[in-house]
């Protein structure tokens, strides 16, 4: 389902219990905005963990963060993410993340048969041809347009996720910057960010 929110449209839902959420940071590192997002989710009653995959490193530009990410390596970062999630995976995690962190969250969720949901903010990832899930609830929030998440890519991603068995919703925010939920970045768009959080909280309540 593709949706373009207007006036803070909320996904209807009801509360089945608190979610256990693994929230991964972007290539900027574990910035204050990630902790603020975690606090917002905790205020709604959820349990949230924010692993620091960059081990204390934060960056002022996306280029610096991407350079550091390449230096550490994709395999090492994924290993750190798996180790961070492992102690809690038996609870049935909701995986979530910002941009690069969303790609990490997607990889882990598709490989975890106990995953309760996948909440993607500003990012997606490649999908293995043999990926398979059982009606995994997935919600993606992304700018429109987005230089890192092009229309062609998102259309392909959406079809692949559905083929894998996911139940996918995609929300687009016209005119917002790529990482529009981070108040400390030029991308920030308050209206889009608040709409995103209202919809995302409704999604979590419906799980």
């Amino acid at each position: 389902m593709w949706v373009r929110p207007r006036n803070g449209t909320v996904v209807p839902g009801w509360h089945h219990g608190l979610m256990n959420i693994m929230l991964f940071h972007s290539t900027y590192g574990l910035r204050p905005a990630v902790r603020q997002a975690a606090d917002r989710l905790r205020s709604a009653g959820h349990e949230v963990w924010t692993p620091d995959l960059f081990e204390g490193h934060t960056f002022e530009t996306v280029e610096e963060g991407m350079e550091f990410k390449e230096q550490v390596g994709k395999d090492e970062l994924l290993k750190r993410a798996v180790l961070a999630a492992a102690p809690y995976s038996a609870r049935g995690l909701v995986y979530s993340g910002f941009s690069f962190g969303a790609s990490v969250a997607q990889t882990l969720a598709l490989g975890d048969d106990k995953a309760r949901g996948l909440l993607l903010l500003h990012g997606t990832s490649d999908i293995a041809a043999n990926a398979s899930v059982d009606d995994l609830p997935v919600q993606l929030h992304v700018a429109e347009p987005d230089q890192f998440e092009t229309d062609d890519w998102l259309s392909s991603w959406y079809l692949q996720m559905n083929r894998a068995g996911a139940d996918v919703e995609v929300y687009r925010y016209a005119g917002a910057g790529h990482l529009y939920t981070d108040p400390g970045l030029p991308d920030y768009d308050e209206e889009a960010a608040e709409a995103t959080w209202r919809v995302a909280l409704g999604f979590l309540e419906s799980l």
Side-chain angles (χ1 to χ4, degrees):
M1 178 174 68
W2 293 79
V3 182
R4 289 173 174 80
R6 294 292 182 269
N7 301 320
T9 301
V10 180
V11 174
W14 55 91
H15 199 58
H16 282 174
L18 307 183
M19 293 295 107
N20 296 290
I21 303 170
M22 191 64 53
L23 182 63
F24 295 103
H25 60 76
S26 73
T27 52
Y28 286 93
L30 189 55
R31 291 169 50 81
V34 181
R35 295 188 175 94
Q36 291 165 10
D39 287 342
R40 186 189 290 249
L41 294 168
R42 291 184 184 111
S43 293
H46 305 294
E47 189 81 26
V48 187
W49 295 271
T50 56
D52 187 353
L53 304 184
F54 287 0
E55 298 183 338
H57 296 274
T58 59
F59 302 96
E60 295 300 318
T61 69
V62 67
E63 291 79 13
E64 292 173 336
M66 291 178 71
E67 182 179 354
F68 179 80
K69 183 182 73 170
E70 293 302 316
Q71 290 174 356
V72 176
K74 179 180 179 180
D75 290 345
E76 173 60 24
L77 291 169
L78 187 58
K79 176 183 175 182
R80 293 176 186 180
V82 169
L83 289 174
Y88 312 104
S89 62
R91 304 184 185 193
L93 289 171
V94 175
Y95 292 93
S96 184
F98 299 92
S99 193
F100 155 71
S103 70
V104 172
Q106 178 186 304
T107 299
L108 266 62
L110 293 182
D112 182 355
D113 59 7
K114 295 185 177 65
R116 293 287 300 276
L118 175 59
L119 175 60
L120 302 173
L121 303 164
H122 322 296
T124 60
S125 184
D126 296 330
I127 302 167
N130 62 347
S132 178
V133 293
D134 185 11
D135 290 325
L136 177 71
V138 178
Q139 190 174 91
L140 168 65
H141 297 266
V142 65
E144 181 184 33
D146 188 312
Q147 62 178 322
F148 299 108
E149 300 288 327
T150 65
D151 290 348
D152 288 347
W153 165 256
L154 287 174
S155 294
S156 175
W157 174 87
Y158 178 81
L159 291 173
Q160 291 178 66
M161 286 293 283
N162 275 279
R163 288 193 196 105
D167 182 9
V168 184
E169 299 174 348
V170 180
Y171 290 79
R172 305 295 306 272
Y173 299 83
H178 170 66
L179 203 58
Y180 63 80
T181 58
D182 189 325
L185 297 177
D187 284 348
Y188 182 58
D189 184 311
E190 183 178 7
E191 182 178 358
E194 290 305 313
T196 293
W197 285 117
R198 285 192 291 270
V199 174
L201 288 170
F203 171 71
L204 293 169
E205 289 175 1
S206 72
L207 298 178

